[in-house]
Amino acid sequence: MDLFATALPALSEAFALILQPQQIMFLILGVLLGLSVGVFPGLGGIAGLSLVLPFMFGMDPVSGLALMVGLVAVVPTSDTFASVLMGIPGSSASQATVLDGFPLARKGEAARALAAAFVSSLFGGLFGACVLTFFILIARPLVLAFALPEMLAVTLLGLAMVAILAGRLPLKGVAAACLGLLLGTIGEASHGGSLRMATYDIPYLTDGIKLVIVGLGIFAVPEIISLLRQDQSIARGATLGAGWMQGIRDWWTNIYLSIRCSVIGVIVGVIPGLGGSVVDWIAYGHAVQTTKDKSNFGSGEIRGVIGPESSNNAKEGGGLVPTLIFGIPGSGSMAVFIGGLALLGYEAGPQMIQNDLNVTYTIVWSLALANVVGAGLCIALSGGIARLTTIRFTLLAPFLFMMISFAAFQSRQSLGDLVALFAIGLVGIFLRRFDWSRPAFLIGFVLSSQAENFSANAHQIATFKFRRGMEQGLEYLASPIVLVILAITVVSVILGIRQSKQIRSEGEVHTGAKRAPLIFLLMLLAYSVIAWVNAASINLMSDKIFPMAVASVGIVALVLLLIRMIRAPEGDPIFADREAAGEDADAPHGLWPTLAWFASLLVLSALLGFVLALTLFMLAFFRLRAGVSWLQTVLLTAGGIGFMIFLTSTLNRDFPPGLLQELVDLPWPLR
């Protein structure tokens, strides 16, 4: 009763603050900014919040909160556009949505997929806010109960989703996840600072590879190249399908799935450091496990959209728990959010709950209201925006190349970003071609750093506890929460391996000759062996144990696959190859000539700088590859260049410079 006596007055005061016309206006402004930023892959909440931070000085605190919360709340909603329409994860929170959302768009059901996603996001956001309202007073003991072993157990649960997403051959999923984990260990080790698969002669590698580049390279580049080779619209037959009312009906039919995935979102969001990078995969895995007919997953199953989208917006509500209660940011955008709170005169942490409970609830219910406004706008616009899928893809491809190159460059403001994007894009193309699980690879990469940190820290503390007594050590490692999470993980793996043969996370892939899949496997095995040898040469045990363990598991999985390849006849599922038959094999344009266009943009950028390179690239592409008139070529090129200049000046970002900029002092935007 004391809790309600404290909460109700603060809650009513929060509603009175939020519902003032001025605050609603700032909230809508934040929502519009969030929608604008979220639509473009790779930008996300961090870029959007960084844009509004300079305006926080001198603002009314409640107005400033409304602006920031409005922006943060709708990015996980609006990033669905890129995931569904282009097959590009708009952010780490919408990676799983690509698996079934993009195939739906290609079937001509983009509006249906978008509408189902937006209603699911709306429900998840509201559910998260409702739970958070009552949870915020009792959350402290629960959050404190999650120590390092519990965090590691949840990370392992995220990796267990690999078993579900592996497809016909679980070993391929294990190997792909290990390769993703190994990619995440490149650079300086977080504990001892030892270099792994890097050298100071190439400074770019010492800081590791960024998530934006891996996400774009593994998912966006292969899909753009594949569609460009086929030279037609994304949606076959150029129809929009059932539209957004059908999507809303789909959500209502699967409302219990939406509720369960929203609960998953809140729980995972509460745990600092996990957040969007894992929650959508856990929700997707749950959606697969609870569906009787699993054959449609990966080729356009609407439940594969509803589950992740419900969870990633509910996660925002959960993510505010550690942010507001402990001042521990649950994600990168929450770290910027804490900075914004400080500018408005508030300090996130226990004092905020005790002294400014009304402000805390203002944030919570601004989040709910922003979800309503954002989802409403997205649903209203989804029919029109879905028409993008009916445009000939050759006319869209240069703009997508432009956006992903620009987004990749923002990760470290280095030309190395563009080289890394191309290299990882090439890996992504071959993973897709030979039916290796790209989601498993991405899950491995995303969870690599936290899996290593949690395991290393838990190992150090457990060693100390075991020295004091066996009972203390076991009590630390085998807490009830850890045992429950591990039990769920084991069940997920067993069910996942049983069910994986029915799932095509990459769609149906034909089999071909032995030679090409065998060469690719040998290349992956060679990299894993080199990574193991490199890790073994490190002196510090804390820096070498994780990559050595991961590489060992990967090598075992790859050797077992190699033995099967040697023994199996042609036509076995292990020899899956998209170039043997199907859309890619029948495409009118070849892989290497198409990839050469993207490479030419990156090479020209290194020589002339991004704006000049983009101008030449677009003029050549539209005239020679797309075959449009000179007037259309000039208009489309001018539109693309003008948009990029507007975007960079608004977001205060830089263009990738080239060799020319080092030799000649050019005016902006050419410099």
Side-chain angles (χ1 to χ4, degrees), residues 131-188:
V131 171
L132 189 55
T133 301
F134 299 103
F135 194 54
I136 208 156
L137 294 172
I138 59 169
R140 291 187 67 187
L142 180 65
V143 175
L144 286 171
F146 269 77
L148 288 167
E150 286 79 10
M151 306 272 271
L152 180 59
V154 176
T155 304
L156 290 173
L157 175 60
L159 284 169
M161 292 303 114
V162 168
I164 296 166
L165 297 166
R168 290 176 286 187
L169 296 167
L171 273 177
K172 270 190 170 182
V174 172
C178 289
L179 288 162
L181 286 162
L182 284 176
L183 187 67
T185 63
I186 289 176
E188 286 186 350

